[in-house]
Amino acid sequence: MPSPEHPVDPKAVPPPAHPLEPLSPVEIRSVVELVRQSGRISGKARFIVVTLHEPPKKDVLEFRPGAALDREASVVLLDNADGATYEAVVSLNRREIRHWKHVPGAQPSITLDEFFECEEALKKDPGFQAALRKRGVTNFDLVMVDPWSEGNYGLPGDVSGLRLTRALTWMRSESGDNGYARPVEALVAVVDLNRMRVHRIEDHEVIPLPPEAGNYSRKYIKEFRADLKPIEVVQSRGPSFVVEGTQIRWQKWKLRIGFTPREGLVIHQVTYDDAGRERPVLYRASLCDMVVPYGDPHPYHFRKNAFDCGEFGIGLFADSLALGCDCLGEIRYFDAHLATSRGEVYTIKNAICLHEEDYGILWKHMDWRTNETEVRRNRRLVVSFIATVGNYEYGFYWYFQQDGQIQFEVKLTGIMHTGALRPGESRPYGRMVAPQLYAPNHQHIFNVRLDMMVDGMNNSIYEVHNESDPLGPGNPHGNAFRSRATLLRTESQAQQLVDPLAARTWRIVNNARLNRLGDPVAYRLVPGDNVRCFLHESSTVMKRAAFMRRHLWVTPYHPDERYATGDYPNQHPGGAGLAAYVRDDRPIEDTNLVLWYTMGANHVPRPEDWPVMPVVHIGFMLKPDGFFERNPALDVPPATPGHCCDGDKG
Ligand SMILES: [Cu+2]
């Protein structure tokens, strides 16, 4: 409640409709102003993060429309003057800093501003220019610099306390062509981002630039195939969803969307209306980190392993879909409001896309005696965003289906990370994709944090797999197999790998709610394609991203445990995040469960992935498993022949 010394200024902060609404531009400006006015930072401080400080779960669940809200922001600051990192919680209602902490040794994520400033500074650096001249480069306007994260290998330079980035370089052959076709191999400029100047140049050897262009944009394609006729998705009466602020209602689903600089799209408070009863499934879901470890041990390549959420902030790199969206039909966009490191409002127009799509058939049966056919179209609600992180694109899609399924999918595309080799050379750690152009093997490993709420707050989790019965009197013909469920009682028991050969899934149950068959209601986590991480257990990257060691982790909810790699993975030596969260091996029975699902896309490059990579899909599903009494999609109306599920035929 506001105190008499700190009255609420009603004009300062327009009231949001819900406690989970992301900060508005006005709120972001107020936060920046309050931090500046506090006099606690120098003029050289950067705002690394300005985002909603989510209220306690209890307050959110008990919130009723119109009730007063205590709006707070989480802020991370970096003072370039002395390299110190600060965390703050700013109360917008009280217009005060409620919490302030210096975080010794923390190196916050690299901001978008630093990307641009680093490139600019490097191009002017005489040592960097000299290294490029050695390679015949004289036009520095065509130089592209991508600041990769430095990582931490426990080597002498890694414990300097400096804020470093490894700037890798490519050469365009003309303005607007694909520079990633010409990597400047074996040259790394390590830049001190606090001073924004070169810390050291690592010049391993001079390798010629690959000879070929690798262009894909329309201006370079001489002839397009001519036999394509249009497919048009028409929703003449508009979409079936309703949007109120950041809440979306679609058929029986209700959910809320949020957006943070680190995670991008966040899905909040997912419920399903089951015959008038609003039944929760998820409290909060997001991609909480990802790592792309590269598999080449060469001195130039071994440090490549980008943590795109934790070291950079994938939300900051979200595309404005105003510039091109891959969705068809009636689309509703949402803007994302973030802050630049200089404390200005940074709005990504149309960052989140909401639409419906036809997804084949939902269910079908023909009674072959009567020739009566019943078939329903599967329509799903899609909430997505796409991030461009340097050379790569990641599309993140949440799908909600009429049969109660939730699916998460990542679409990987964009341009592969490349290296150059001498004519005739190759390497066992990657693939040649064009003459003298090499793409190293790598994996894209994602961790999705799922704060579950299956029909209520307290859930338990079972590992479920199939087993064949032994041959014997009970199984004389060798056909008997069963599904076996094992309760996972502690965090250590819940550290699991996928096992597709045993059809392993995980069942999240609510023991306080039984279905009509007497079983606890449940949702099932069903893995999609997955792979193990091929880094050695003892590697520093594995220590820094311990989530890669297992596909499933389960923890009891704790408000401070939000990221699989910890709060500050940039240049961190390892041991934070999940590795630390599970250290006490806490019990996980009948409590608020958080699932951390790891999934990996293994990328051994193909020539066909060059110059721009056709989309690769990876994901998982949450399927109702005794949550409903029967197929909940019997009431989906039949489609009119030749049309997609119009419901009524009016
Ligand atoms: Cu890849």
Side-chain angles (χ1 to χ4, degrees):
M1 293 297 292
S3 64
E5 308 87 76
H6 300 283
V8 173
D9 176 2
K11 291 194 292 300
V13 186
H18 189 271
L20 292 177
E21 280 201 4
L23 297 182
S24 67
V26 172
E27 288 178 317
I28 292 170
R29 272 184 216 110
S30 298
V31 172
V32 169
E33 192 184 293
L34 287 166
V35 170
R36 288 213 169 114
Q37 282 170 358
S38 76
R40 298 182 197 227
I41 48 166
S42 80
K44 295 195 87 181
R46 285 185 195 265
F47 288 80
I48 306 290
V49 174
V50 179
T51 194
L52 175 71
H53 185 245
E54 288 176 25
K57 198 179 274 190
K58 187 172 166 291
D59 296 359
V60 174
L61 292 170
E62 287 173 2
F63 173 80
R64 294 290 168 267
L69 284 177
D70 208 5
R71 293 287 279 176
E72 293 186 335
S74 284
V75 183
V76 176
L77 296 141
L78 168 73
D79 200 328
N80 284 150
D82 58 3
T85 298
Y86 300 94
E87 276 175 7
V89 176
V90 177
S91 166
L92 283 155
N93 301 59
R94 296 171 178 226
R95 298 192 58 76
E96 68 177 15
I97 293 179
R98 186 172 70 66
H99 167 84
W100 181 269
K101 186 169 109 181
H102 172 228
V103 196
Q107 202 54 263
S109 52
I110 300 170
T111 61
L112 201 52
D113 291 336
E114 288 170 301
F115 264 60
F116 294 114
E117 292 169 32
C118 173
E119 182 171 87
E120 208 177 307
L122 255 186
K123 285 183 182 181
K124 289 184 199 144
D125 180 79
F128 183 65
Q129 289 185 352
L132 289 177
R133 279 200 195 90
K134 259 166 68 180
R135 291 161 167 85
V137 173
T138 49
N139 185 352
F140 301 120
D141 291 340
L142 297 175
V143 171
M144 301 190 331
V145 175
D146 286 0
W148 281 54
S149 48
E150 167 76 355
N152 190 327
Y153 291 76
L155 301 172
D158 291 330
V159 289
S160 62
L162 297 174
R163 178 171 176 79
L164 301 176
T165 182
R166 302 176 68 71
L168 308 181
T169 304
W170 288 263
M171 283 301 305
R172 294 188 198 270
S173 54
E174 61 187 32
S175 151
D177 96 326
N178 174 14
Y180 294 111
R182 293 188 181 81
V184 179
E185 178 75 20
L187 175 67
V188 185
V190 179
V191 176
D192 176 340
L193 290 174
N194 278 323
R195 293 177 187 83
M196 205 46 86
R197 65 175 187 227
V198 174
H199 177 61
R200 65 170 188 275
I201 302 265
E202 294 174 6
D203 193 346
H204 298 279
E205 56 186 317
V206 174
I207 309 254
L209 294 173
E212 260 185 23
N215 286 314
Y216 54 86
S217 68
R218 64 195 74 187
K219 64 187 175 202
Y220 290 104
I221 305 298
K222 297 219 165 55
E223 205 177 324
F224 289 102
R225 59 185 74 181
D227 49 0
L228 265 182
K229 298 195 172 58
I231 291 182
E232 277 166 33
V233 174
V234 179
Q235 294 180 269
S236 54
R237 283 185 281 159
S240 308
F241 52 75
V242 176
V243 176
E244 281 162 3
T246 52
Q247 189 180 64
I248 299 160
R249 281 188 287 120
W250 181 72
Q251 301 182 57
K252 301 184 177 192
W253 289 107
K254 207 190 255 187
L255 56 126
R256 190 170 285 283
I257 54 169
F259 200 89
T260 72
R262 178 157 176 176
E263 305 154 287
L265 176 62
V266 180
I267 303 290
H268 296 284
Q269 293 193 286
V270 179
T271 63
Y272 193 95
D273 182 331
D274 184 11
R277 204 151 57 92
E278 199 175 302
R279 302 177 66 190
V281 178
L282 275 168
Y283 180 77
R284 190 185 195 279
S286 69
L287 173 80
C288 76
D289 216 331
M290 56 170 290
V291 181
V292 188
Y294 283 78
D296 187 335
H298 187 277
Y300 170 68
H301 289 279
F302 79 92
R303 277 186 187 257
K304 292 176 184 169
N305 46 77
F307 294 40
D308 287 331
C309 298
E311 289 179 338
F312 298 100
I314 204 150
L316 283 168
F317 295 86
D319 293 355
S320 170
L321 297 171
L323 302 173
C325 176
D326 67 339
C327 301
L328 298 174
E330 285 290 311
I331 296 170
R332 168 72 204 267
Y333 293 107
F334 299 83
D335 298 343
H337 304 293
L338 306 168
T340 70
S341 77
R342 300 302 178 198
E344 283 140 17
V345 173
Y346 170 56
T347 294
I348 304 172
K349 202 86 193 121
N350 298 6
I352 301 169
C353 171
L354 169 71
H355 78 297
E356 296 171 284
E357 68 187 21
D358 180 71
Y359 190 50
I361 60 170
L362 177 61
W363 55 261
K364 172 174 179 169
H365 183 62
M366 183 193 71
D367 183 327
W368 48 271
R369 289 187 175 81
T370 64
N371 276 342
E372 242 180 82
T373 296
E374 292 290 342
V375 60
R376 300 293 181 273
R377 297 297 303 175
N378 188 357
R379 193 191 302 199
R380 59 186 190 177
L381 183 77
V382 191
V383 193
S384 65
F385 83 107
I386 300 178
T388 300
V389 192
N391 49 299
Y392 249 95
E393 259 77 9
Y394 297 101
F396 300 99
Y397 296 75
W398 290 95
Y399 302 107
F400 298 86
Q401 289 196 182
Q402 291 161 310
D403 60 358
Q405 280 191 52
I406 301 170
Q407 194 183 341
F408 178 67
E409 185 177 58
V410 184
K411 297 183 188 178
L412 297 88
T413 180
I415 302 175
M416 285 186 298
H417 175 69
T418 50
L421 296 180
R422 291 198 173 83
E425 267 184 1
S426 65
R427 280 213 190 119
Y429 305 107
R431 194 79 188 271
M432 301 308 293
V433 294
Q436 293 166 241
L437 188 71
Y438 158 76
N441 297 340
H442 59 279
Q443 299 183 292
H444 305 259
I445 305 190
F446 306 89
N447 187 271
V448 181
R449 182 180 178 279
L450 302 164
D451 183 346
M452 300 301 299
M453 207 175 156
V454 176
D455 226 3
M457 194 63 93
N458 290 342
N459 294 161
S460 297
I461 185 163
Y462 288 81
E463 181 272 348
V464 184
H465 69 271
N466 286 344
E467 280 178 14
S468 310
D469 278 11
L471 278 177
N475 183 24
H477 311 292
N479 67 310
F481 73 97
R482 62 181 81 204
S483 147
R484 193 175 287 284
T486 309
L487 177 66
L488 306 174
R489 295 176 190 278
T490 62
E491 289 177 311
S492 62
Q493 288 177 14
Q495 290 171 33
Q496 302 248 320
L497 294 173
V498 296
D499 187 355
L501 295 182
R504 177 172 285 164
T505 58
W506 294 281
R507 187 187 295 152
I508 306 106
V509 308
N510 184 334
N511 286 316
R513 300 251 193 279
L514 303 185
N515 61 26
R516 66 184 180 129
L517 306 171
D519 296 321
V521 298
Y523 256 74
R524 171 193 292 193
L525 171 60
V526 182
D529 281 357
N530 214 328
V531 66
R532 77 178 176 86
C533 171
F534 295 112
L535 301 195
H536 200 276
E537 276 288 321
S538 68
S539 69
T540 53
V541 181
M542 207 60 143
K543 287 184 189 138
R544 298 178 60 228
F547 75 83
M548 299 195 297
R549 291 170 40 229
R550 295 286 183 273
H551 296 116
L552 181 77
W553 304 70
V554 183
T555 57
Y557 172 79
H558 188 288
D560 295 339
E561 297 176 358
R562 290 175 302 161
Y563 307 113
T565 50
D567 289 349
Y568 297 100
N570 188 22
Q571 294 181 250
H572 194 281
L578 271 174
Y581 301 163
V582 301
R583 204 160 282 152
D584 294 337
D585 198 14
R586 294 167 292 187
I588 53 167
E589 262 182 273
D590 279 321
T591 189
N592 180 182
L593 295 185
V594 178
L595 274 55
W596 309 74
Y597 180 66
T598 303
M599 55 181 191
N602 198 63
H603 195 173
V604 172
R606 306 174 301 155
E608 290 86 348
D609 294 336
W610 182 255
V612 65
M613 183 179 126
V615 167
V616 168
H617 303 252
I618 180 170
F620 67 88
M621 277 180 289
L622 287 168
K623 291 188 180 205
D625 184 356
F627 190 84
F628 299 108
E629 290 189 355
R630 56 180 63 77
N631 179 351
L634 296 184
D635 62 347
V636 172
T640 46
H643 289 87
C644 166
C645 44
D646 226 0
D648 68 30
K649 298 165 185 75

